[in-house]
Amino acid sequence: MNPFSYGTIVKGPYFYDRHEECKRIVSTLSGGNNLVLFAPRRFGKTSLVFRAIEELEKLGYTCIYFDFMPVYSRESFIVSYSKAIFAKQKNLQSAVKRIASLIKGIRPKLVFDQVGNPEFTMDFTDDKVADKTLEDIIDLPEKLASENKPYIIVFDEFQEINNLNGENFEKLLRSKIQQQEHVNYLFLGSRTHLLNDMFNNKGRAFYNAAMLMQIESLPEKETIEYLKSRFSLSGMKIDQPVSLYLIEQAGNIPYYIQLLSAEVWQYMVSSQQVVTLEVVGFCAEKIVDLKNDYYFELYGRQSAYQKKLLISLVISGENVFSADYTRRFRLSATSTTQKALLGLVESSVIEKVNGNYFISDPFFKRFLSRYA
Ligand SMILES: Nc1ncnc2c1ncn2[C@@H]1O[C@H](COP(=O)(O)OP(=O)(O)OP(=O)(O)O)[C@@H](O)[C@H]1O
Ligand SMILES: [Mg+2]
């Protein structure tokens, strides 16, 4: 079996490092504060949070992980969120009764599937879901929690709340959670610029609602150790310079390190024992070839000026508004560049970190470098 894994939450032996980050999450939340995690796409936020949840549960917290991505309406939020809360309850029958008594406007039910597994479902008593129902569901964890049974709620892809009756939901959630005494919240999401605006913009409901934490790439030293040990499980060797080359080709982004390593392993599994620079380079090219159609379409979707900017970003993403950069890449006025970059950030093609811009997908960058 391939010793590398990507595209899902990684756990157990697939997961490495993040000890300090995990400790900080645990201590912030158990210290009674809310926290928001920032990191570019595919840096390992969700996996890290699952790791922290394991630790928090050992400390006696009831942790509820809730992903906002599939939520498409207030109703769907109410259904999915109550299911997630219900799933953590021990006595199912009495939990249904409690939920029924605590939330106005719903009729919760326990049904059993063919093999006898219980499932929580509900009807709404009215066609239009009242604000009160939403308020009650947001307060449900607080009602179920207590001094010696505290709750931690993890809201992943939290920026998606913007699509759910926007400000109103956001304000309501904020006002409710700040009154709760036995529940703390951890927020995260993959669309950093939206999340950033929610928590750092004075005009927004969640301004100052949580402590901020930034997650960086995984440290090189640990990644090299990890690569060595994972490849060695199949009797393959990778030395330090080749590991460093692999990390660089993957943009030092955890997801792409696993993707490229998995490809290298697959390529080598039946024949070779030593990972070489050539093999890593060949596999990186192969990934670009496999994704060529998608990259081609993605590139084609950008305006002419955005294409020009993308090609410039392949070479450098630093000081993009400087006179030097403008001259070097023959760019237009700063305002035009700003607007084009904003569009690229909004569609997650590029990311902005510490004032610098980079292409989110290192293999798209490699694809673009064919044009540069
Ligand atoms: N600590 C880690 N150890 C090993 N691999 C990791 C680690 N963190 C992340 N990865 C790799 O990165 C991939 C993406 O991780 P995860 O889904 O946790 O990131 P994310 O930041 O939540 O991504 P997104 O921005 O898409 O929500 C994983 O499938 C795995 O391949
Ligand atoms: Mg995630």
Side-chain angles (χ1 to χ4, degrees):
M1 210 164 85
N2 202 313
F4 300 100
S5 163
Y6 58 93
T8 52
I9 295 154
V10 278
K11 289 187 174 171
Y14 292 99
F15 184 93
Y16 66 99
D17 197 66
R18 299 291 191 211
H19 308 290
E20 288 309 312
E21 293 88 339
C22 186
K23 256 195 228 158
R24 217 179 124 199
I25 295 173
V26 171
S27 66
T28 307
L29 291 165
S30 58
N33 292 298
N34 299 328
L35 182 66
V36 52
L37 287 190
F38 287 108
R41 286 220 61 191
R42 298 175 161 178
F43 265 50
K45 298 174 289 292
T46 306
S47 302
L48 166 61
V49 162
F50 270 83
R51 189 63 208 89
I53 286 177
E54 280 175 30
E55 294 303 314
L56 286 159
E57 288 192 328
K58 279 187 208 154
L59 295 175
Y61 286 88
T62 300
C63 299
I64 290 163
Y65 172 84
F66 184 78
D67 183 0
F68 265 90
M69 195 53 96
V71 176
Y72 54 86
S73 65
R74 280 175 165 221
E75 287 84 341
S76 84
F77 170 75
I78 291 168
V79 174
S80 313
Y81 193 42
S82 46
K83 269 190 184 171
I85 297 170
F86 178 79
K88 288 285 177 170
Q89 307 307 313
K90 296 208 169 74
N91 184 333
L92 303 186
Q93 297 288 0
S94 76
V96 170
K97 281 195 193 122
R98 278 216 72 194
I99 293 175
S101 70
L102 291 171
I103 305 176
K104 289 261 165 335
I106 63 163
R107 272 188 297 257
K109 270 190 300 208
L110 199 56
V111 293
F112 293 88
D113 67 13
Q114 284 158 338
V115 272
N117 292 324
E119 204 197 330
F120 178 84
T121 63
M122 69 167 69
D123 302 321
F124 290 95
T125 52
D126 301 305
D127 287 346
K128 189 171 177 313
V129 175
D131 275 358
K132 179 77 175 93
T133 309
L134 191 58
E135 285 171 23
D136 287 348
I137 185 84
I138 293 167
D139 265 342
L140 184 60
E142 173 73 0
K143 298 269 167 56
L144 300 171
S146 61
E147 196 77 61
N148 48 14
K149 201 169 171 289
Y151 272 54
I152 303 280
I153 308 286
V154 178
F155 281 146
D156 203 347
E157 302 300 354
F158 186 57
Q159 73 281 335
E160 297 304 304
I161 197 176
N162 287 313
N163 302 328
L164 302 173
N165 199 4
E167 277 184 40
N168 190 357
F169 193 169
E170 213 175 307
K171 277 194 190 129
L172 199 131
L173 186 61
R174 167 77 206 251
S175 75
K176 283 277 150 203
I177 69 177
Q178 69 186 7
Q179 293 159 10
Q180 299 178 352
E181 285 179 24
H182 306 301
V183 188
N184 283 108
Y185 289 81
L186 172 55
F187 306 96
L188 63 152
S190 59
R191 308 199 63 199
T192 319
H193 65 290
L194 295 178
L195 209 59
N196 203 38
D197 189 58
M198 290 176 74
F199 286 88
N200 288 323
N201 178 341
K202 282 189 178 149
R204 297 288 296 268
F206 275 86
Y207 178 68
N208 262 347
M211 294 179 77
L212 314 179
M213 181 173 162
Q214 187 90 36
I215 297 166
E216 311 289 337
S217 287
L218 287 156
E220 244 164 37
K221 186 167 162 278
E222 276 69 15
T223 302
I224 295 170
E225 285 309 309
Y226 176 85
L227 291 175
K228 283 185 180 165
S229 88
R230 299 304 285 167
F231 276 115
S232 77
L233 291 174
S234 314
M236 298 175 192
K237 284 199 169 61
I238 184 164
D239 66 15
Q240 173 146 340
V242 177
S243 301
L244 283 171
Y245 181 67
L246 188 150
I247 294 170
E248 190 201 325
Q249 298 311 300
N252 198 8
I253 299 174
Y255 172 91
Y256 296 102
I257 292 172
Q258 296 277 334
L259 171 68
L260 183 51
S261 302
E263 197 61 43
V264 168
W265 183 88
Q266 191 63 48
Y267 177 76
M268 303 221 334
V269 69
S270 53
S271 53
Q272 282 163 273
Q273 247 109 57
V274 181
V275 186
T276 60
L277 294 176
E278 289 71 28
V279 169
V280 174
F282 174 82
C283 290
E285 280 298 297
K286 203 171 142 210
I287 292 172
V288 178
D289 288 342
L290 286 170
K291 292 185 155 192
N292 192 62
D293 287 356
Y294 165 68
Y295 289 154
F296 194 74
E297 194 265 329
L298 182 63
Y299 185 60
R301 226 187 291 154
Q302 312 306 322
S303 70
Y305 195 63
Q306 282 171 330
K307 285 180 182 152
K308 189 174 186 178
L309 274 173
L310 283 171
I311 303 293
S312 317
L313 291 176
V314 169
I315 296 155
S316 166
E318 287 175 26
N319 303 319
V320 296
F321 300 115
S322 67
D324 251 9
Y325 195 94
T326 306
R327 206 174 314 115
R328 184 172 169 202
F329 296 105
R330 299 169 182 278
L331 300 180
S332 308
T334 306
S335 59
T336 313
T337 304
Q338 248 159 357
K339 204 168 147 227
L341 287 172
L342 192 68
L344 289 168
V345 168
E346 272 168 5
S347 55
S348 298
V349 176
I350 65 170
E351 300 227 23
K352 185 179 174 189
V353 175
N354 304 328
N356 299 327
Y357 291 86
F358 72 95
I359 295 161
S360 315
D361 177 344
F363 296 102
F364 183 47
K365 182 175 172 186
R366 204 180 175 101
F367 167 91
L368 291 168
S369 71
R370 295 175 178 175
Y371 293 77

